[in-house]
Amino acid sequence: AGVVAAAMIATMSFPAFAALNATTTDGVDVGGEVSITKTYFGTGFGEETVKLVIDNGGKPTDIIHSSMTAAEIAAAKNSMTISIASGQENGITVNDTTGEGTFKVKLPDYSRVGTYIYKIHEDKGNTAGMTYDEAQRWLVVHVINNMNGDNYGTGLTCKVGMFTSDPTNLSGDDLKAVKSGGFTNTYKNGNFTVEKKVKGNMADRD
């Protein structure tokens, strides 16, 4: 039951910025960390180290809902990069006792309002019997103005959602259907049968 811990918006639709600005749900600070749950089902694998991979060099694949010029967006695509949080560069270790861990992604110091879209995925391991979650994820960061009632507050804040399909042209139920609460691997302990075949009339069959 993993959830992106950074105030994922209930419907995570892409309304106009007037609607986003009116939203008072707390988010993640600019430059803060987003927590993404990693879940394992099944026991018997002991423990495993698993890595989160940030695609496109951490750069956003798209920036929408922004008043930036084309040149400013191009510059932001090179500078507003996300990264693996400090201490997790070599992955996280999850054991089959707890069955759960947390990836952390560091956000940049956003300076402009907009919707920043990134791609991430999990690095597939090699544990026998493990079915890995190999689906691409889209990490969407809404950067909006802090609001104090109907007035602008101080600075910017972020609201984050994660999806299994590109959400830019989706809305309503279609958008809800591709929301992702995290990454999940499933382990099944292998069952096998040893069969002894004996031939010849002088062979013992026990």
Side-chain angles (χ1 to χ4, degrees):
V3 176
V4 176
M8 183 182 287
I9 303 172
T11 61
M12 205 59 199
S13 60
F14 291 106
F17 260 99
L20 276 176
N21 286 339
T23 303
T24 57
T25 305
D26 291 335
V28 162
D29 291 336
V30 168
E33 292 183 351
V34 175
S35 295
I36 301 172
T37 300
K38 173 65 199 174
T39 303
Y40 280 82
F41 291 116
T43 59
F45 64 89
E47 66 177 29
E48 182 177 57
T49 298
V50 60
K51 292 182 179 180
L52 184 68
V53 178
I54 297 176
D55 300 312
N56 198 38
K59 300 176 183 179
T61 57
D62 203 358
I63 301 173
I64 58 177
H65 300 153
S66 176
S67 62
M68 288 187 282
T69 66
E72 289 171 332
I73 287 176
K77 283 185 176 181
N78 286 318
S79 61
M80 295 295 103
T81 58
I82 60 174
S83 60
I84 301 296
S86 177
Q88 291 196 355
E89 295 86 354
N90 296 317
I92 62 172
T93 300
V94 181
N95 62 60
D96 62 2
T97 301
T98 62
E100 192 169 288
T102 303
F103 293 123
K104 290 185 180 294
V105 174
K106 180 76 165 58
L107 299 181
D109 292 323
Y110 297 106
S111 59
R112 298 290 297 272
V113 164
T115 299
Y116 298 73
I117 301 171
Y118 304 87
K119 286 185 178 182
I120 61 176
H121 70 275
E122 178 187 309
D123 192 15
K124 181 180 178 181
N126 57 8
T127 298
M130 191 74 73
T131 300
Y132 290 94
D133 188 341
E134 300 183 68
Q136 180 79 63
R137 298 295 199 281
W138 281 257
L139 189 68
V140 177
V141 182
H142 289 292
V143 181
I144 61 176
N145 289 300
N146 273 317
M147 298 298 293
N148 181 12
D150 292 330
N151 300 313
Y152 287 106
T154 303
L156 302 173
T157 189
C158 305
K159 294 178 180 178
V160 182
M162 191 167 68
F163 304 88
T164 56
S165 294
D166 185 349
T168 51
N169 295 314
L170 300 178
S171 61
D173 290 341
D174 290 336
L175 190 61
K176 293 178 185 178
V178 297
K179 279 175 57 176
S180 174
F183 292 88
T184 301
N185 291 348
T186 302
Y187 177 75
K188 290 186 178 180
N189 201 352
N191 296 317
F192 61 93
T193 301
V194 177
E195 183 180 359
K196 176 182 178 182
K197 291 187 177 182
V198 181
K199 297 181 179 180
N201 60 6
M202 293 297 291
D204 292 328
R205 296 182 180 272
D206 293 332

